[in-house]
Amino acid sequence: MSTQSTSPRPLRVVVVVGSAREGRLAPDVATWFAQQTSVRDDLLTDVVDLADAVLPASLVPHAPETAALRPRLAAADAFVFIVPEYNRSVPGPLKTLVDTFNAEWEAKPVAFVGYGLGMSGGVRAVEHLRQIFGEFHCVTMKDTVMFPQILEHYDPQGRFPVDAEGAAGAAKLMLEQLVWWGRALRDAKETHPYRG
C-alpha cells in the first residue's frame, strides 16, 4: 500500500526588491531576507530585483521586459516587498511596476520589509503600499519587518543586520502569517476561481 505525503506543497513567494537607485541598500536587506526564506521547506523563493530585471521606462503592457516578468508574478502564491522609504512614500520604479500589472497581484497575500534612513524606517512607504494593494483585493500582513535608521543596523565591518536574532524573529512571525494566508487563498482559488 502506497503512502502519500500530507505536507502541503511549498508556497511560491516572489520577493520584489523595490529600489533601483544607485548606492541603494536594498541588496543587503534582500540578501538577509533570502537567507530567512532559504531555511524553510514550505517556501520557494523567486527574487525580482528592479535594478536588474526591469527598467521603469520599459514597463509598458507589451514591452519584452513586461512579457518576461508577467509569468513570474502570475505564478506567485504570495509576495514580499523589500521597500525603502523615499520622500515619505514608495520609490517611483516600484509604483510603476505595481501599476503595470493587475491580475498578477489579485487576491494574494503581501508582506513587507521596510527600511529608511529616518526614525520611521519605511513605515510610510509600507502604509502607502497597503492602500495600493487593497485595490487588487490583496491581504496584507499585519506584522512587518522594519529597519528604522538603517545605517545603525550595520556593524563596523559592514555586516547587516546587527541584531540578527531580533530581525530573524520578526521575519519568522511575518512569514508564518504569509504562509497561512498563502495556503488559504491558494486553496480557495483552486476550488472557486477568483473573479474580482
Side-chain angles (χ1 to χ4, degrees):
M1 183 170 111
S2 65
T3 59
Q4 293 183 336
S5 171
T6 58
S7 176
R9 69 185 187 277
L11 205 67
R12 293 170 305 210
V13 177
V14 169
V15 176
V16 178
V17 184
S19 171
R21 183 179 287 183
E22 186 177 350
R24 66 201 177 124
L25 299 175
D28 295 339
V29 182
T31 298
W32 166 80
F33 187 74
Q35 292 168 350
Q36 308 310 301
T37 63
S38 69
V39 298
R40 301 181 62 114
D41 60 8
D42 54 357
L43 298 175
L44 293 174
T45 305
D46 178 15
V47 178
V48 171
D49 189 334
L50 292 189
D52 297 333
V54 182
L55 296 176
S58 302
L59 281 173
V60 293
H62 303 294
E65 295 86 354
T66 306
L69 188 53
R70 189 176 304 280
R72 292 172 68 186
L73 300 179
D77 298 310
F79 297 97
V80 177
F81 285 84
I82 310 291
V83 57
E85 184 173 309
Y86 289 173
N87 303 318
R88 296 177 176 253
S89 190
V90 301
L94 178 56
K95 182 63 164 66
T96 300
L97 173 75
V98 174
D99 290 345
T100 301
F101 298 94
N102 193 326
E104 292 75 14
W105 311 120
E106 273 189 350
K108 295 178 182 179
V110 180
F112 306 102
V113 179
Y115 67 93
L117 295 175
M119 286 294 292
S120 67
V123 169
R124 290 172 290 207
V126 168
E127 290 308 309
H128 287 173
L129 284 174
R130 288 188 195 279
Q131 295 174 20
I132 293 164
F133 279 106
E135 288 296 308
F136 299 106
H137 301 196
C138 294
V139 177
T140 59
M141 300 304 96
K142 174 184 177 290
D143 289 288
T144 59
V145 181
M146 291 293 182
F147 295 102
Q149 296 180 304
I150 190 168
L151 296 180
E152 295 185 6
H153 291 271
Y154 288 84
D155 70 12
Q157 289 73 44
R159 290 184 293 251
F160 175 87
V162 173
D163 180 14
E165 185 177 345
K172 183 177 187 299
L173 176 62
M174 184 183 75
L175 287 170
E176 288 296 326
Q177 294 173 11
L178 191 71
V179 167
W180 191 94
W181 278 105
R183 287 175 178 164
L185 291 172
R186 181 178 65 187
D187 293 348
K189 286 183 288 187
E190 288 175 352
T191 305
H192 303 287
Y194 185 78
R195 293 180 178 87

